[in-house]
Amino acid sequence: MTTHPFLDLAPLTAARFASIEDRVARLLGTEQDVVIMQGEALLPLEGAIRGAAGPGTTALNIITGPYGQTFGDWLRDCGATVVDLAVPFHAAVTAAQVREAFAEHPEIDFVSLVHAEAATGNTNPVAEIGEAVREQGALFYLDAVASVGAEPVLPDAWGVDLCAIGAQKAMGGPAGVSAVSVSERAWARMAANPGAPRRSYLSLLDWKERWIDGGRRTLLHAPAQLEMLALEACVERIEAAGLDAVIARHTAAAAATRAGVLALGGGLEPYVYEAEDAAPVATTLRAPSGVVASELVASALAADPTLPLAAGGGALAKEMIRVNHYGADATREAVLGSLVALGAALADRGLVVDVAGARQTVAKSL
């Protein structure tokens, strides 16, 4: 009997693990500690909230999509007092709205925000919001899982204290490992929190005390070796291409999708109203009146199941279509294939579409 060569790899050393963390830190342009956690990005996202928030915390939880709703649930579960700032999923939050919330609730000392909501297709102006958060003196928690690689993510420049990322979207990497950058203020907040997880898979403090403070010589547990190597290869690919080039590719794919949809017609239109609020990682579309989005997507995928198309989650499945042009799918072929397939599905339902016009528009944009 033989084994797969992946099973015979030498163990991943602590030094190599640390070197991958350093490369992720460079990708984020941060001097903060970066911890690579051995699980999907929900692990650091939940671990950071449970570590930094608790009774006595007053959190401004900004909701521009489903993940913001989840963060509010976690914060309440920790015992925090939560002030929700919800905006329509077809828009972005503004720094002015954040400042208004601070004026109404000057006790706010924690802010949670999703940078880009791949599920709803919007992106939020983190730099401007970060300035407002700094004025307030609150701890700033950011979910940049969908945005990293598709648009700039700059924790230090924006004053972000906890910035969680995952590689499975715009970075084009594995889903099984994720990372979080942690500021000194955030470490201090967690150390002072008696409810922060300890001796737990959710614990960031375990990584701080047993890994970082120990000089990154001894790992807490056996690392997810294949996922770590995949993350290393993913970062190497981004470094070789240049982060600016990777971001530009996603920006172009999003612009081409939005313009192509408007040229296609058939009642299909961008879900996010303003182009400046639309996320580069994925474009969401509103299905025509009388057409169920999930059924339209099913028809398009029946023609080509490899297309990066999905219906919205939950109740949004009736009205929202997602073109997930991220990672390897941030290309003309993926965008054009998606629009052509959606156009054919719309035509089958008796709607008038201009597939040729959409083709021409995408060709000019990408």
mmCIF file of all heavy atoms in Angstrom, residues 21-56:
data_model
loop_
_atom_site.group_PDB
_atom_site.id
_atom_site.type_symbol
_atom_site.label_atom_id
_atom_site.label_comp_id
_atom_site.label_asym_id
_atom_site.label_seq_id
_atom_site.Cartn_x
_atom_site.Cartn_y
_atom_site.Cartn_z
ATOM 1 N N GLU A 21 2.838 33.856 9.532
ATOM 2 C CA GLU A 21 2.200 34.978 10.232
ATOM 3 C C GLU A 21 2.829 36.303 9.819
ATOM 4 O O GLU A 21 2.120 37.296 9.589
ATOM 5 C CB GLU A 21 2.332 34.794 11.744
ATOM 6 C CG GLU A 21 1.411 33.738 12.335
ATOM 7 C CD GLU A 21 1.500 33.660 13.840
ATOM 8 O OE1 GLU A 21 2.557 34.022 14.405
ATOM 9 O OE2 GLU A 21 0.505 33.236 14.464
ATOM 10 N N ASP A 22 4.146 36.335 9.709
ATOM 11 C CA ASP A 22 4.837 37.570 9.333
ATOM 12 C C ASP A 22 4.440 38.023 7.932
ATOM 13 O O ASP A 22 4.294 39.231 7.675
ATOM 14 C CB ASP A 22 6.346 37.374 9.409
ATOM 15 C CG ASP A 22 6.855 37.186 10.836
ATOM 16 O OD1 ASP A 22 6.127 37.546 11.778
ATOM 17 O OD2 ASP A 22 7.979 36.662 10.997
ATOM 18 N N ARG A 23 4.253 37.080 7.032
ATOM 19 C CA ARG A 23 3.874 37.440 5.657
ATOM 20 C C ARG A 23 2.444 37.977 5.617
ATOM 21 O O ARG A 23 2.134 38.904 4.858
ATOM 22 C CB ARG A 23 4.048 36.234 4.735
ATOM 23 C CG ARG A 23 5.505 35.826 4.593
ATOM 24 C CD ARG A 23 5.673 34.549 3.817
ATOM 25 N NE ARG A 23 5.702 34.798 2.384
ATOM 26 C CZ ARG A 23 6.191 33.930 1.491
ATOM 27 N NH1 ARG A 23 6.696 32.775 1.899
ATOM 28 N NH2 ARG A 23 6.195 34.220 0.220
ATOM 29 N N VAL A 24 1.575 37.400 6.440
ATOM 30 C CA VAL A 24 0.207 37.918 6.522
ATOM 31 C C VAL A 24 0.226 39.330 7.103
ATOM 32 O O VAL A 24 -0.505 40.217 6.635
ATOM 33 C CB VAL A 24 -0.678 36.977 7.365
ATOM 34 C CG1 VAL A 24 -2.043 37.613 7.633
ATOM 35 C CG2 VAL A 24 -0.859 35.635 6.657
ATOM 36 N N ALA A 25 1.075 39.559 8.106
ATOM 37 C CA ALA A 25 1.192 40.907 8.682
ATOM 38 C C ALA A 25 1.635 41.912 7.617
ATOM 39 O O ALA A 25 1.118 43.034 7.549
ATOM 40 C CB ALA A 25 2.176 40.890 9.844
ATOM 41 N N ARG A 26 2.578 41.519 6.776
ATOM 42 C CA ARG A 26 3.034 42.415 5.701
ATOM 43 C C ARG A 26 1.910 42.674 4.705
ATOM 44 O O ARG A 26 1.780 43.787 4.183
ATOM 45 C CB ARG A 26 4.261 41.827 4.997
ATOM 46 C CG ARG A 26 5.537 41.897 5.838
ATOM 47 C CD ARG A 26 6.776 41.637 5.007
ATOM 48 N NE ARG A 26 6.838 40.270 4.510
ATOM 49 C CZ ARG A 26 7.368 39.248 5.174
ATOM 50 N NH1 ARG A 26 7.878 39.437 6.388
ATOM 51 N NH2 ARG A 26 7.411 38.043 4.647
ATOM 52 N N LEU A 27 1.102 41.659 4.440
ATOM 53 C CA LEU A 27 -0.029 41.825 3.535
ATOM 54 C C LEU A 27 -0.992 42.880 4.067
ATOM 55 O O LEU A 27 -1.579 43.648 3.293
ATOM 56 C CB LEU A 27 -0.752 40.481 3.373
ATOM 57 C CG LEU A 27 -1.900 40.418 2.370
ATOM 58 C CD1 LEU A 27 -1.372 40.477 0.949
ATOM 59 C CD2 LEU A 27 -2.708 39.140 2.562
ATOM 60 N N LEU A 28 -1.133 42.944 5.387
ATOM 61 C CA LEU A 28 -2.024 43.916 6.020
ATOM 62 C C LEU A 28 -1.319 45.225 6.346
ATOM 63 O O LEU A 28 -1.969 46.156 6.838
ATOM 64 C CB LEU A 28 -2.607 43.322 7.307
ATOM 65 C CG LEU A 28 -3.507 42.096 7.144
ATOM 66 C CD1 LEU A 28 -3.904 41.545 8.512
ATOM 67 C CD2 LEU A 28 -4.748 42.441 6.333
ATOM 68 N N GLY A 29 -0.032 45.298 6.113
ATOM 69 C CA GLY A 29 0.715 46.503 6.429
ATOM 70 C C GLY A 29 0.644 46.862 7.900
ATOM 71 O O GLY A 29 0.562 48.033 8.262
ATOM 72 N N THR A 30 0.658 45.837 8.773
ATOM 73 C CA THR A 30 0.467 46.089 10.189
ATOM 74 C C THR A 30 1.689 45.740 11.023
ATOM 75 O O THR A 30 2.415 44.788 10.705
ATOM 76 C CB THR A 30 -0.753 45.306 10.719
ATOM 77 O OG1 THR A 30 -0.968 45.652 12.092
ATOM 78 C CG2 THR A 30 -0.543 43.794 10.625
ATOM 79 N N GLU A 31 1.894 46.510 12.083
ATOM 80 C CA GLU A 31 2.909 46.223 13.085
ATOM 81 C C GLU A 31 2.297 45.504 14.289
ATOM 82 O O GLU A 31 3.006 45.178 15.241
ATOM 83 C CB GLU A 31 3.571 47.529 13.545
ATOM 84 C CG GLU A 31 4.313 48.278 12.455
ATOM 85 C CD GLU A 31 5.503 47.497 11.915
ATOM 86 O OE1 GLU A 31 6.157 46.808 12.719
ATOM 87 O OE2 GLU A 31 5.770 47.581 10.705
ATOM 88 N N GLN A 32 1.001 45.295 14.250
ATOM 89 C CA GLN A 32 0.330 44.592 15.338
ATOM 90 C C GLN A 32 0.706 43.109 15.328
ATOM 91 O O GLN A 32 1.224 42.583 14.340
ATOM 92 C CB GLN A 32 -1.189 44.727 15.198
ATOM 93 C CG GLN A 32 -1.707 46.149 15.278
ATOM 94 C CD GLN A 32 -3.209 46.231 15.061
ATOM 95 O OE1 GLN A 32 -3.907 45.219 15.002
ATOM 96 N NE2 GLN A 32 -3.718 47.450 14.946
ATOM 97 N N ASP A 33 0.435 42.434 16.452
ATOM 98 C CA ASP A 33 0.585 40.984 16.466
ATOM 99 C C ASP A 33 -0.446 40.373 15.535
ATOM 100 O O ASP A 33 -1.607 40.798 15.502
ATOM 101 C CB ASP A 33 0.354 40.434 17.889
ATOM 102 C CG ASP A 33 1.448 40.832 18.856
ATOM 103 O OD1 ASP A 33 2.621 40.873 18.434
ATOM 104 O OD2 ASP A 33 1.141 41.105 20.033
ATOM 105 N N VAL A 34 -0.025 39.372 14.778
ATOM 106 C CA VAL A 34 -0.942 38.622 13.923
ATOM 107 C C VAL A 34 -0.945 37.173 14.389
ATOM 108 O O VAL A 34 0.118 36.552 14.503
ATOM 109 C CB VAL A 34 -0.545 38.712 12.440
ATOM 110 C CG1 VAL A 34 -1.329 37.703 11.602
ATOM 111 C CG2 VAL A 34 -0.791 40.127 11.912
ATOM 112 N N VAL A 35 -2.127 36.653 14.662
ATOM 113 C CA VAL A 35 -2.281 35.266 15.081
ATOM 114 C C VAL A 35 -3.029 34.522 13.988
ATOM 115 O O VAL A 35 -4.119 34.941 13.578
ATOM 116 C CB VAL A 35 -3.063 35.169 16.408
ATOM 117 C CG1 VAL A 35 -3.272 33.705 16.787
ATOM 118 C CG2 VAL A 35 -2.334 35.908 17.515
ATOM 119 N N ILE A 36 -2.444 33.451 13.488
ATOM 120 C CA ILE A 36 -3.146 32.585 12.544
ATOM 121 C C ILE A 36 -3.826 31.487 13.343
ATOM 122 O O ILE A 36 -3.170 30.698 14.027
ATOM 123 C CB ILE A 36 -2.188 31.973 11.508
ATOM 124 C CG1 ILE A 36 -1.579 33.066 10.635
ATOM 125 C CG2 ILE A 36 -2.941 30.965 10.629
ATOM 126 C CD1 ILE A 36 -0.618 32.557 9.581
ATOM 127 N N MET A 37 -5.151 31.456 13.260
ATOM 128 C CA MET A 37 -5.931 30.486 14.027
ATOM 129 C C MET A 37 -6.327 29.319 13.141
ATOM 130 O O MET A 37 -6.483 29.460 11.924
ATOM 131 C CB MET A 37 -7.142 31.149 14.659
ATOM 132 C CG MET A 37 -6.754 32.282 15.616
ATOM 133 S SD MET A 37 -8.121 32.929 16.596
ATOM 134 C CE MET A 37 -8.261 31.645 17.847
ATOM 135 N N GLN A 38 -6.449 28.165 13.760
ATOM 136 C CA GLN A 38 -6.599 26.921 13.009
ATOM 137 C C GLN A 38 -8.061 26.556 12.811
ATOM 138 O O GLN A 38 -8.582 25.567 13.314
ATOM 139 C CB GLN A 38 -5.840 25.817 13.740
ATOM 140 C CG GLN A 38 -4.381 26.164 13.992
ATOM 141 C CD GLN A 38 -3.590 26.339 12.709
ATOM 142 O OE1 GLN A 38 -3.178 25.360 12.087
ATOM 143 N NE2 GLN A 38 -3.377 27.566 12.282
ATOM 144 N N GLY A 39 -8.734 27.386 12.037
ATOM 145 C CA GLY A 39 -10.134 27.175 11.727
ATOM 146 C C GLY A 39 -10.633 28.255 10.791
ATOM 147 O O GLY A 39 -9.940 29.239 10.512
ATOM 148 N N GLU A 40 -11.847 28.089 10.294
ATOM 149 C CA GLU A 40 -12.467 29.063 9.413
ATOM 150 C C GLU A 40 -12.604 30.393 10.145
ATOM 151 O O GLU A 40 -12.526 30.451 11.375
ATOM 152 C CB GLU A 40 -13.831 28.514 8.960
ATOM 153 C CG GLU A 40 -14.409 29.193 7.723
ATOM 154 C CD GLU A 40 -15.271 30.383 8.073
ATOM 155 O OE1 GLU A 40 -15.762 30.468 9.215
ATOM 156 O OE2 GLU A 40 -15.459 31.251 7.192
ATOM 157 N N ALA A 41 -12.816 31.475 9.408
ATOM 158 C CA ALA A 41 -12.727 32.819 9.974
ATOM 159 C C ALA A 41 -13.729 33.100 11.092
ATOM 160 O O ALA A 41 -13.526 34.031 11.879
ATOM 161 C CB ALA A 41 -12.888 33.860 8.868
ATOM 162 N N LEU A 42 -14.790 32.321 11.206
ATOM 163 C CA LEU A 42 -15.682 32.514 12.340
ATOM 164 C C LEU A 42 -14.960 32.297 13.662
ATOM 165 O O LEU A 42 -15.370 32.840 14.693
ATOM 166 C CB LEU A 42 -16.882 31.555 12.242
ATOM 167 C CG LEU A 42 -17.978 31.965 11.251
ATOM 168 C CD1 LEU A 42 -19.011 30.854 11.132
ATOM 169 C CD2 LEU A 42 -18.649 33.264 11.672
ATOM 170 N N LEU A 43 -13.869 31.530 13.652
ATOM 171 C CA LEU A 43 -13.111 31.272 14.877
ATOM 172 C C LEU A 43 -12.505 32.561 15.453
ATOM 173 O O LEU A 43 -12.793 32.917 16.602
ATOM 174 C CB LEU A 43 -12.052 30.202 14.634
ATOM 175 C CG LEU A 43 -11.115 29.873 15.792
ATOM 176 C CD1 LEU A 43 -11.887 29.363 16.996
ATOM 177 C CD2 LEU A 43 -10.072 28.837 15.360
ATOM 178 N N PRO A 44 -11.663 33.297 14.706
ATOM 179 C CA PRO A 44 -11.154 34.550 15.274
ATOM 180 C C PRO A 44 -12.231 35.610 15.441
ATOM 181 O O PRO A 44 -12.147 36.451 16.347
ATOM 182 C CB PRO A 44 -10.077 34.988 14.284
ATOM 183 C CG PRO A 44 -10.449 34.334 12.997
ATOM 184 C CD PRO A 44 -11.049 33.016 13.390
ATOM 185 N N LEU A 45 -13.244 35.605 14.576
ATOM 186 C CA LEU A 45 -14.302 36.594 14.708
ATOM 187 C C LEU A 45 -15.023 36.439 16.049
ATOM 188 O O LEU A 45 -15.231 37.406 16.777
ATOM 189 C CB LEU A 45 -15.302 36.465 13.553
ATOM 190 C CG LEU A 45 -14.823 36.974 12.195
ATOM 191 C CD1 LEU A 45 -15.772 36.529 11.088
ATOM 192 C CD2 LEU A 45 -14.686 38.496 12.195
ATOM 193 N N GLU A 46 -15.389 35.218 16.377
ATOM 194 C CA GLU A 46 -16.063 34.987 17.652
ATOM 195 C C GLU A 46 -15.081 35.109 18.818
ATOM 196 O O GLU A 46 -15.406 35.696 19.860
ATOM 197 C CB GLU A 46 -16.732 33.621 17.679
ATOM 198 C CG GLU A 46 -17.499 33.368 18.966
ATOM 199 C CD GLU A 46 -18.299 32.081 18.971
ATOM 200 O OE1 GLU A 46 -18.293 31.359 17.950
ATOM 201 O OE2 GLU A 46 -18.929 31.790 20.007
ATOM 202 N N GLY A 47 -13.887 34.564 18.652
ATOM 203 C CA GLY A 47 -12.904 34.629 19.725
ATOM 204 C C GLY A 47 -12.554 36.050 20.111
ATOM 205 O O GLY A 47 -12.385 36.369 21.301
ATOM 206 N N ALA A 48 -12.458 36.950 19.126
ATOM 207 C CA ALA A 48 -12.106 38.343 19.405
ATOM 208 C C ALA A 48 -13.214 39.043 20.184
ATOM 209 O O ALA A 48 -12.951 39.812 21.119
ATOM 210 C CB ALA A 48 -11.819 39.086 18.104
ATOM 211 N N ILE A 49 -14.462 38.798 19.808
ATOM 212 C CA ILE A 49 -15.573 39.415 20.537
ATOM 213 C C ILE A 49 -15.652 38.880 21.954
ATOM 214 O O ILE A 49 -15.765 39.632 22.929
ATOM 215 C CB ILE A 49 -16.901 39.204 19.787
ATOM 216 C CG1 ILE A 49 -17.013 40.220 18.646
ATOM 217 C CG2 ILE A 49 -18.095 39.327 20.729
ATOM 218 C CD1 ILE A 49 -18.292 40.151 17.856
ATOM 219 N N ARG A 50 -15.574 37.567 22.111
ATOM 220 C CA ARG A 50 -15.688 36.979 23.452
ATOM 221 C C ARG A 50 -14.488 37.338 24.330
ATOM 222 O O ARG A 50 -14.615 37.385 25.550
ATOM 223 C CB ARG A 50 -15.882 35.473 23.354
ATOM 224 C CG ARG A 50 -17.184 35.084 22.677
ATOM 225 C CD ARG A 50 -17.552 33.624 22.867
ATOM 226 N NE ARG A 50 -18.797 33.313 22.179
ATOM 227 C CZ ARG A 50 -20.021 33.536 22.665
ATOM 228 N NH1 ARG A 50 -20.144 34.073 23.876
ATOM 229 N NH2 ARG A 50 -21.092 33.241 21.982
ATOM 230 N N GLY A 51 -13.345 37.611 23.697
ATOM 231 C CA GLY A 51 -12.186 38.020 24.467
ATOM 232 C C GLY A 51 -12.242 39.457 24.920
ATOM 233 O O GLY A 51 -11.812 39.791 26.026
ATOM 234 N N ALA A 52 -12.788 40.335 24.079
ATOM 235 C CA ALA A 52 -12.694 41.770 24.349
ATOM 236 C C ALA A 52 -13.956 42.383 24.932
ATOM 237 O O ALA A 52 -13.914 43.513 25.425
ATOM 238 C CB ALA A 52 -12.332 42.508 23.059
ATOM 239 N N ALA A 53 -15.082 41.683 24.867
ATOM 240 C CA ALA A 53 -16.351 42.257 25.328
ATOM 241 C C ALA A 53 -16.935 41.436 26.470
ATOM 242 O O ALA A 53 -16.685 40.232 26.581
ATOM 243 C CB ALA A 53 -17.343 42.325 24.174
ATOM 244 N N GLY A 54 -17.711 42.102 27.298
ATOM 245 C CA GLY A 54 -18.347 41.422 28.416
ATOM 246 C C GLY A 54 -19.229 42.377 29.176
ATOM 247 O O GLY A 54 -19.502 43.506 28.721
ATOM 248 N N PRO A 55 -19.705 41.985 30.363
ATOM 249 C CA PRO A 55 -20.490 42.910 31.179
ATOM 250 C C PRO A 55 -19.696 44.195 31.430
ATOM 251 O O PRO A 55 -18.510 44.164 31.733
ATOM 252 C CB PRO A 55 -20.701 42.122 32.481
ATOM 253 C CG PRO A 55 -20.606 40.681 32.070
ATOM 254 C CD PRO A 55 -19.564 40.654 30.991
ATOM 255 N N GLY A 56 -20.345 45.312 31.246
ATOM 256 C CA GLY A 56 -19.659 46.598 31.367
ATOM 257 C C GLY A 56 -19.270 47.186 30.033
ATOM 258 O O GLY A 56 -18.980 48.378 29.934
#
